[in-house]
Amino acid sequence: MNKSQLISAVAEQTSVSKNDVKRVLDALFALAEQKLNENEKIVISGFGVFTTAQVSERTGRNPR
């Protein structure tokens, strides 16, 4: 499911316009991105936990 499909499904289930659902989702994603950039953890009960992690660099290889 992509973003436009999610917007359509939520609008259909809630009888809210697609424009209103899009604005809410955009605000949610922007806020989540901002908080994750500040290294905060986002916990949504019954859905999931979102965190950032530092991963060390590794040497890549050319598959050719």
Side-chain angles (χ1 to χ4, degrees):
M1 175 178 275
N2 62 27
K3 186 177 177 182
S4 63
Q5 291 170 332
L6 177 62
I7 289 170
S8 296
V10 170
E12 187 177 308
Q13 283 190 353
T14 60
S15 300
V16 177
S17 73
K18 287 184 181 181
N19 287 334
D20 289 342
V21 173
K22 182 181 182 311
R23 285 198 326 249
V24 169
L25 283 179
D26 287 342
L28 173 67
F29 294 149
L31 183 60
E33 180 180 7
Q34 175 188 353
K35 293 303 175 184
L36 289 172
N37 284 336
E38 295 171 1
N39 292 322
E40 290 189 35
K41 184 185 338 183
I42 300 173
V43 179
I44 302 174
S45 298
F47 185 72
V49 178
F50 302 90
T51 60
T52 56
Q54 295 294 327
V55 178
S56 60
E57 293 181 354
R58 65 176 185 87
T59 303
R61 67 176 189 88
N62 186 344
R64 275 192 197 172

